[in-house]
Amino acid sequence: MEYKDLQEAAIETWKAFIRKKVAPVAARIDEQEEFPFDNIKEMGRLGLLGIPYPSEYGGADLDYRTYTKFIREIARVCAATAMTVVTHTTLSGNPVFTFGTNEQKERYLKPLLSGDKIGAFALTEPGSGSDISSIQTQAVETDGSYIINGSKLFITNANVADIFIVAAKTKPESGMLGISIFIVEKGTEGFSASRKKEKKLGMRGSDTGELIFDHVKVPAGNLVGKKNLGMEVLHQTLVSARLGMAAIAIGIAEGAQMHCLRYVKERKQFDKYLYHFQSVKNMLADMEMHISAAGLLLEKAAGMKDRGKNITKEASEAKLFASETATKTTKDAVQIFGAYGYSREFPLERFFRDAKITEIGDGTSEIQRTIIADEIVKKRNYSL
Ligand SMILES: Cc1cc2nc3c(=O)[nH]c(=O)nc-3n(C[C@H](O)[C@H](O)[C@H](O)COP(=O)(O)OP(=O)(O)OC[C@H]3O[C@@H](n4cnc5c(N)ncnc54)[C@H](O)[C@@H]3O)c2cc1C
């Protein structure tokens, strides 16, 4: 099949699926903090969990630009489902695809892309968030295996995943240069998830929990990439995931905006529809401008990734701008809806709550600004 035909078929499939299956349950999974197992499994069967991967592993043979459009469209109606998909497809699938051995791709990537297994990515710990070099989880090599001890916190899909990408120190004295990445399977002795399911502000249909590693024995064949060079795996994975988070953020903003555009033509005050008021127009215009600009940054970064370019700066720019667009747009959307925006009978307060994580996950906004500044200071030529 031609690329364009493949892409059109995927778009047709996801549009129908989102309309029929994701939109109708979005409010319920938020209210009941329920993981949408059936929908995730069905997305696997429909080929929607492997969009940016080759068909040889069960992927759809499409690019990151197409994948991020898909994520945007899910997030317009259900950001929690979009968050589950990005964690599964990018944070878990990408390290295995990019750094894994053929055996790892057969054993782990294929069942992830088909949806037979769910993936999680475990980096954050109780005492270590932005500062990756401070992780305390350790893996010690003994007789062809590694023994992992430690814990992870705030892990998306912790309670529902089967395959975990885990960061651990293999050379604790070397900071960033002593981290390695492992694949740990659910059910491995000593590995438990989880004593604690997080109760969150938003993204309540997305599972978040804790992982405990108590002398967990993992075969040496489950090391992803090179020993002690896990930082390279983490960097590449987090940069790619920022495109997914940017797409989630833009989708949330677009969803909130769509509700507003309908509402301002339905609601009257002082005998006029809301869209006649200049301050409402200002908010609508700002929403539009920010969403368009965020979309362009994301397209640029995703296009560069598809061409194999380094996107460290571009992914941070897209994620930072999109997440700030999401929080501003949803705040204004609640304002436009007034009391109805604040009511749980309407979806605006959910968009508002869901938006905030996009400024925190996959590196906070402060960390994105640091990355962008470091990249331009390091790489720009200053001759005038
Ligand atoms: C819903 C949810 C899902 C998540 N899913 C996952 C997951 O699947 N896997 C995973 O590994 N992690 C996950 N996380 C964790 C997430 O990646 C971290 O929360 C994030 O990296 C920030 O770390 P922290 O929360 O420990 O904040 P901290 O690092 O403690 O930062 C606290 C504040 O200090 C600021 N700060 C820290 N360092 C600097 C600096 N050098 N310069 C300027 N400001 C700084 C931060 O920007 C922030 O404002 C998730 C978190 C949430 C809430």
Side-chain angles (χ1 to χ4, degrees):
M1 222 196 263
E2 295 282 315
Y3 186 84
K4 205 167 154 286
D5 298 329
L6 269 179
Q7 197 180 36
E8 275 171 16
I11 293 172
E12 211 172 292
T13 304
W14 84 51
K15 279 192 184 299
F17 179 76
I18 291 169
R19 191 180 63 249
K20 286 189 204 147
K21 298 288 174 76
V22 182
V25 303
R28 191 192 77 212
I29 67 169
D30 172 70
E31 187 71 25
Q32 298 181 5
E33 308 203 5
E34 173 191 328
F35 184 78
F37 259 116
D38 292 348
N39 277 349
I40 300 300
K41 291 288 174 188
E42 194 170 340
M43 274 192 257
R45 285 192 291 275
L46 292 170
L48 296 174
L49 293 181
I51 288 180
Y53 297 105
S55 48
E56 112 182 72
Y57 303 111
D61 273 336
L62 294 168
D63 57 15
Y64 255 77
R65 270 180 306 169
T66 310
Y67 168 59
T68 48
K69 283 194 179 102
F70 167 55
I71 299 300
R72 254 170 99 156
E73 291 200 27
I74 314 182
R76 277 183 203 164
V77 298
C78 183
T81 300
M83 177 110 167
T84 301
V85 175
V86 170
T87 301
H88 175 93
T89 301
T90 307
L91 280 171
S92 314
N94 188 70
V96 185
F97 173 66
T98 311
F99 296 92
T101 59
N102 285 337
E103 204 185 329
Q104 288 170 350
K105 287 177 194 166
E106 285 295 320
R107 191 177 162 97
Y108 299 112
L109 187 62
K110 281 188 170 178
L112 282 176
L113 303 192
S114 65
D116 289 330
K117 299 276 169 76
I118 293 176
F121 170 84
L123 170 62
T124 304
E125 298 183 358
S128 164
S130 305
D131 180 9
I132 295 173
S133 70
S134 67
I135 61 169
Q136 297 293 310
T137 298
Q138 287 196 22
V140 177
E141 194 170 10
T142 38
D143 302 331
S145 302
Y146 286 86
I147 308 292
I148 305 180
N149 279 292
S151 68
K152 299 284 174 183
L153 197 59
F154 294 118
I155 304 306
T156 302
N157 296 346
N159 303 290
V160 295
D162 310 281
I163 295 170
F164 297 78
I165 307 296
V166 178
K169 286 263 178 77
T170 35
K171 201 176 173 198
E173 68 281 10
S174 298
M176 293 278 199
L177 293 174
I179 296 173
S180 301
I181 308 301
F182 299 91
I183 301 169
V184 180
E185 292 184 45
K186 179 182 177 175
T188 308
E189 202 181 332
F191 175 46
S192 58
S194 141
R195 286 181 219 152
K196 190 175 169 215
K197 182 175 165 161
E198 286 300 331
K199 294 202 144 311
K200 310 189 296 285
L201 172 71
M203 296 287 188
R204 294 183 180 173
S206 155
D207 175 76
T208 316
E210 182 188 27
L211 302 173
I212 308 290
F213 301 82
D214 182 6
H215 294 86
V216 177
K217 190 170 177 183
V218 173
N222 282 23
L223 174 72
V224 182
K226 295 202 173 81
K227 187 178 176 184
N228 298 326
L229 297 183
M231 215 27 234
E232 197 187 329
V233 181
L234 291 176
H235 172 75
Q236 214 274 354
T237 303
L238 288 168
V239 166
S240 302
R242 282 173 196 144
L243 301 181
M245 194 61 104
I248 294 173
I250 298 170
I252 293 172
E254 287 173 321
Q257 184 201 34
M258 284 191 290
H259 285 283
C260 288
L261 293 178
R262 197 167 39 217
Y263 191 70
V264 295
K265 287 185 273 185
E266 288 169 1
R267 174 83 172 169
K268 276 185 169 177
Q269 289 295 289
F270 301 98
D271 243 355
K272 282 181 184 168
Y273 288 110
L274 294 185
Y275 71 80
H276 286 293
F277 300 119
Q278 185 61 51
S279 49
V280 172
K281 287 185 191 186
N282 291 346
M283 287 193 265
L284 294 175
D286 283 356
M287 284 178 186
E288 181 65 11
M289 178 178 67
H290 285 110
I291 290 169
S292 296
L296 289 172
L297 284 173
L298 177 57
E299 281 257 325
K300 178 185 168 194
M304 284 175 66
K305 176 162 174 70
D306 290 331
R307 294 193 301 279
K309 305 275 185 209
N310 177 351
I311 57 161
T312 303
K313 177 177 83 79
E314 289 73 14
S316 287
E317 286 171 345
K319 195 259 185 194
L320 175 61
F321 195 81
S323 58
E324 292 186 350
T325 294
T327 50
K328 176 170 166 38
T329 300
T330 54
K331 178 169 152 284
D332 288 351
V334 169
Q335 195 66 17
I336 287 174
F337 268 69
Y340 296 102
Y342 201 72
S343 164
R344 280 162 62 188
E345 296 293 314
F346 289 77
L348 274 304
E349 60 84 35
R350 171 163 58 86
F351 285 95
F352 177 67
R353 288 186 284 105
D354 286 349
K356 186 59 197 171
I357 185 60
T358 65
E359 292 183 325
I360 298 172
D362 296 337
T364 62
S365 295
E366 292 72 27
I367 296 299
Q368 303 314 319
R369 286 195 161 83
T370 302
I371 293 170
I372 295 164
D374 286 351
E375 285 288 308
I376 56 177
V377 170
K378 212 165 57 188
K379 294 190 181 150
R380 284 265 164 91
N381 180 352
Y382 293 97
S383 51
L384 296 173

mmCIF file of all heavy atoms in Angstrom, residues 65-87:
data_model
loop_
_atom_site.group_PDB
_atom_site.id
_atom_site.type_symbol
_atom_site.label_atom_id
_atom_site.label_comp_id
_atom_site.label_asym_id
_atom_site.label_seq_id
_atom_site.Cartn_x
_atom_site.Cartn_y
_atom_site.Cartn_z
ATOM 1 N N ARG A 65 4.830 12.430 12.698
ATOM 2 C CA ARG A 65 3.831 13.479 12.448
ATOM 3 C C ARG A 65 2.423 12.888 12.498
ATOM 4 O O ARG A 65 1.506 13.470 13.058
ATOM 5 C CB ARG A 65 4.102 14.183 11.120
ATOM 6 C CG ARG A 65 5.026 15.390 11.322
ATOM 7 C CD ARG A 65 5.285 16.084 10.044
ATOM 8 N NE ARG A 65 5.777 15.110 9.078
ATOM 9 C CZ ARG A 65 5.915 15.325 7.792
ATOM 10 N NH1 ARG A 65 5.582 16.475 7.273
ATOM 11 N NH2 ARG A 65 6.396 14.408 7.001
ATOM 12 N N THR A 66 2.278 11.687 11.941
ATOM 13 C CA THR A 66 0.960 11.031 11.957
ATOM 14 C C THR A 66 0.618 10.598 13.388
ATOM 15 O O THR A 66 -0.501 10.803 13.862
ATOM 16 C CB THR A 66 0.976 9.799 11.019
ATOM 17 O OG1 THR A 66 1.497 10.205 9.757
ATOM 18 C CG2 THR A 66 -0.405 9.216 10.854
ATOM 19 N N TYR A 67 1.595 10.022 14.058
ATOM 20 C CA TYR A 67 1.377 9.553 15.439
ATOM 21 C C TYR A 67 0.941 10.701 16.362
ATOM 22 O O TYR A 67 -0.013 10.572 17.136
ATOM 23 C CB TYR A 67 2.678 8.907 15.940
ATOM 24 C CG TYR A 67 2.761 8.622 17.417
ATOM 25 C CD1 TYR A 67 1.839 7.795 18.049
ATOM 26 C CD2 TYR A 67 3.790 9.177 18.197
ATOM 27 C CE1 TYR A 67 1.933 7.531 19.414
ATOM 28 C CE2 TYR A 67 3.894 8.913 19.539
ATOM 29 C CZ TYR A 67 2.959 8.086 20.153
ATOM 30 O OH TYR A 67 3.061 7.841 21.498
ATOM 31 N N THR A 68 1.611 11.854 16.245
ATOM 32 C CA THR A 68 1.253 12.957 17.151
ATOM 33 C C THR A 68 -0.132 13.532 16.798
ATOM 34 O O THR A 68 -0.836 14.023 17.672
ATOM 35 C CB THR A 68 2.334 14.069 17.149
ATOM 36 O OG1 THR A 68 2.660 14.404 15.801
ATOM 37 C CG2 THR A 68 3.585 13.641 17.885
ATOM 38 N N LYS A 69 -0.535 13.412 15.531
ATOM 39 C CA LYS A 69 -1.913 13.842 15.167
ATOM 40 C C LYS A 69 -2.926 12.926 15.863
ATOM 41 O O LYS A 69 -3.961 13.380 16.355
ATOM 42 C CB LYS A 69 -2.115 13.753 13.654
ATOM 43 C CG LYS A 69 -1.470 14.896 12.918
ATOM 44 C CD LYS A 69 -1.961 14.995 11.475
ATOM 45 C CE LYS A 69 -1.301 16.173 10.805
ATOM 46 N NZ LYS A 69 -0.200 15.824 9.921
ATOM 47 N N PHE A 70 -2.611 11.640 15.881
ATOM 48 C CA PHE A 70 -3.495 10.664 16.549
ATOM 49 C C PHE A 70 -3.627 11.020 18.041
ATOM 50 O O PHE A 70 -4.728 11.087 18.587
ATOM 51 C CB PHE A 70 -2.897 9.260 16.351
ATOM 52 C CG PHE A 70 -3.489 8.183 17.215
ATOM 53 C CD1 PHE A 70 -4.864 7.938 17.208
ATOM 54 C CD2 PHE A 70 -2.677 7.390 18.017
ATOM 55 C CE1 PHE A 70 -5.409 6.930 18.002
ATOM 56 C CE2 PHE A 70 -3.216 6.380 18.806
ATOM 57 C CZ PHE A 70 -4.586 6.160 18.803
ATOM 58 N N ILE A 71 -2.482 11.283 18.686
ATOM 59 C CA ILE A 71 -2.506 11.602 20.120
ATOM 60 C C ILE A 71 -3.311 12.883 20.367
ATOM 61 O O ILE A 71 -4.107 12.962 21.303
ATOM 62 C CB ILE A 71 -1.058 11.740 20.667
ATOM 63 C CG1 ILE A 71 -0.290 10.422 20.508
ATOM 64 C CG2 ILE A 71 -1.048 12.221 22.120
ATOM 65 C CD1 ILE A 71 -0.895 9.231 21.234
ATOM 66 N N ARG A 72 -3.122 13.881 19.518
ATOM 67 C CA ARG A 72 -3.890 15.127 19.628
ATOM 68 C C ARG A 72 -5.383 14.849 19.587
ATOM 69 O O ARG A 72 -6.158 15.384 20.376
ATOM 70 C CB ARG A 72 -3.559 16.019 18.431
ATOM 71 C CG ARG A 72 -2.687 17.186 18.732
ATOM 72 C CD ARG A 72 -2.238 17.836 17.461
ATOM 73 N NE ARG A 72 -3.025 19.007 17.123
ATOM 74 C CZ ARG A 72 -2.582 20.002 16.351
ATOM 75 N NH1 ARG A 72 -1.376 19.963 15.852
ATOM 76 N NH2 ARG A 72 -3.335 21.037 16.089
ATOM 77 N N GLU A 73 -5.773 13.977 18.649
ATOM 78 C CA GLU A 73 -7.212 13.726 18.485
ATOM 79 C C GLU A 73 -7.802 12.963 19.661
ATOM 80 O O GLU A 73 -8.925 13.224 20.058
ATOM 81 C CB GLU A 73 -7.488 13.020 17.152
ATOM 82 C CG GLU A 73 -7.227 13.978 16.003
ATOM 83 C CD GLU A 73 -7.907 13.578 14.708
ATOM 84 O OE1 GLU A 73 -8.947 12.899 14.734
ATOM 85 O OE2 GLU A 73 -7.363 13.955 13.645
ATOM 86 N N ILE A 74 -7.045 12.043 20.244
ATOM 87 C CA ILE A 74 -7.589 11.355 21.440
ATOM 88 C C ILE A 74 -7.701 12.371 22.567
ATOM 89 O O ILE A 74 -8.698 12.403 23.287
ATOM 90 C CB ILE A 74 -6.684 10.225 21.991
ATOM 91 C CG1 ILE A 74 -6.171 9.308 20.917
ATOM 92 C CG2 ILE A 74 -7.433 9.417 23.043
ATOM 93 C CD1 ILE A 74 -5.324 8.165 21.497
ATOM 94 N N ALA A 75 -6.641 13.183 22.755
ATOM 95 C CA ALA A 75 -6.616 14.115 23.898
ATOM 96 C C ALA A 75 -7.718 15.172 23.800
ATOM 97 O O ALA A 75 -8.122 15.724 24.816
ATOM 98 C CB ALA A 75 -5.245 14.784 24.007
ATOM 99 N N ARG A 76 -8.227 15.435 22.595
ATOM 100 C CA ARG A 76 -9.348 16.388 22.472
ATOM 101 C C ARG A 76 -10.558 15.924 23.260
ATOM 102 O O ARG A 76 -11.366 16.726 23.696
ATOM 103 C CB ARG A 76 -9.764 16.506 21.002
ATOM 104 C CG ARG A 76 -8.923 17.451 20.229
ATOM 105 C CD ARG A 76 -9.463 17.555 18.819
ATOM 106 N NE ARG A 76 -8.413 17.999 17.940
ATOM 107 C CZ ARG A 76 -8.446 17.906 16.621
ATOM 108 N NH1 ARG A 76 -9.493 17.375 16.033
ATOM 109 N NH2 ARG A 76 -7.447 18.336 15.916
ATOM 110 N N VAL A 77 -10.699 14.583 23.375
ATOM 111 C CA VAL A 77 -11.863 14.080 24.115
ATOM 112 C C VAL A 77 -11.476 13.410 25.431
ATOM 113 O O VAL A 77 -12.243 13.441 26.390
ATOM 114 C CB VAL A 77 -12.729 13.116 23.264
ATOM 115 C CG1 VAL A 77 -13.301 13.815 22.055
ATOM 116 C CG2 VAL A 77 -11.964 11.876 22.847
ATOM 117 N N CYS A 78 -10.283 12.782 25.482
ATOM 118 C CA CYS A 78 -9.895 12.079 26.720
ATOM 119 C C CYS A 78 -8.367 12.080 26.874
ATOM 120 O O CYS A 78 -7.669 11.202 26.349
ATOM 121 C CB CYS A 78 -10.418 10.644 26.714
ATOM 122 S SG CYS A 78 -10.046 9.787 28.257
ATOM 123 N N ALA A 79 -7.872 13.056 27.642
ATOM 124 C CA ALA A 79 -6.423 13.194 27.815
ATOM 125 C C ALA A 79 -5.830 11.994 28.561
ATOM 126 O O ALA A 79 -4.685 11.606 28.307
ATOM 127 C CB ALA A 79 -6.124 14.486 28.563
ATOM 128 N N ALA A 80 -6.602 11.406 29.479
ATOM 129 C CA ALA A 80 -6.082 10.280 30.254
ATOM 130 C C ALA A 80 -5.775 9.091 29.340
ATOM 131 O O ALA A 80 -4.765 8.402 29.512
ATOM 132 C CB ALA A 80 -7.094 9.876 31.332
ATOM 133 N N THR A 81 -6.644 8.867 28.354
ATOM 134 C CA THR A 81 -6.385 7.768 27.406
ATOM 135 C C THR A 81 -5.148 8.094 26.567
ATOM 136 O O THR A 81 -4.298 7.235 26.328
ATOM 137 C CB THR A 81 -7.624 7.533 26.507
ATOM 138 O OG1 THR A 81 -8.729 7.196 27.350
ATOM 139 C CG2 THR A 81 -7.391 6.429 25.504
ATOM 140 N N ALA A 82 -5.024 9.359 26.174
ATOM 141 C CA ALA A 82 -3.851 9.768 25.381
ATOM 142 C C ALA A 82 -2.566 9.557 26.194
ATOM 143 O O ALA A 82 -1.542 9.112 25.661
ATOM 144 C CB ALA A 82 -3.994 11.225 24.964
ATOM 145 N N MET A 83 -2.621 9.858 27.478
ATOM 146 C CA MET A 83 -1.440 9.702 28.353
ATOM 147 C C MET A 83 -1.047 8.227 28.457
ATOM 148 O O MET A 83 0.136 7.879 28.420
ATOM 149 C CB MET A 83 -1.810 10.250 29.739
ATOM 150 C CG MET A 83 -0.744 10.107 30.762
ATOM 151 S SD MET A 83 -0.074 11.708 31.157
ATOM 152 C CE MET A 83 0.838 11.288 32.626
ATOM 153 N N THR A 84 -2.038 7.356 28.563
ATOM 154 C CA THR A 84 -1.765 5.911 28.617
ATOM 155 C C THR A 84 -1.079 5.477 27.325
ATOM 156 O O THR A 84 -0.097 4.727 27.346
ATOM 157 C CB THR A 84 -3.100 5.126 28.777
ATOM 158 O OG1 THR A 84 -3.735 5.565 29.972
ATOM 159 C CG2 THR A 84 -2.863 3.638 28.831
ATOM 160 N N VAL A 85 -1.587 5.962 26.190
ATOM 161 C CA VAL A 85 -1.035 5.536 24.898
ATOM 162 C C VAL A 85 0.398 6.037 24.719
ATOM 163 O O VAL A 85 1.278 5.288 24.285
ATOM 164 C CB VAL A 85 -1.939 6.013 23.727
ATOM 165 C CG1 VAL A 85 -1.298 5.681 22.386
ATOM 166 C CG2 VAL A 85 -3.320 5.384 23.824
ATOM 167 N N VAL A 86 0.660 7.293 25.086
ATOM 168 C CA VAL A 86 2.024 7.829 24.915
ATOM 169 C C VAL A 86 3.008 7.072 25.813
ATOM 170 O O VAL A 86 4.124 6.728 25.397
ATOM 171 C CB VAL A 86 2.065 9.346 25.199
ATOM 172 C CG1 VAL A 86 3.497 9.852 25.273
ATOM 173 C CG2 VAL A 86 1.303 10.107 24.119
ATOM 174 N N THR A 87 2.598 6.775 27.035
ATOM 175 C CA THR A 87 3.486 6.031 27.941
ATOM 176 C C THR A 87 3.785 4.654 27.363
ATOM 177 O O THR A 87 4.926 4.184 27.377
ATOM 178 C CB THR A 87 2.825 5.891 29.329
ATOM 179 O OG1 THR A 87 2.574 7.197 29.827
ATOM 180 C CG2 THR A 87 3.698 5.124 30.291
#
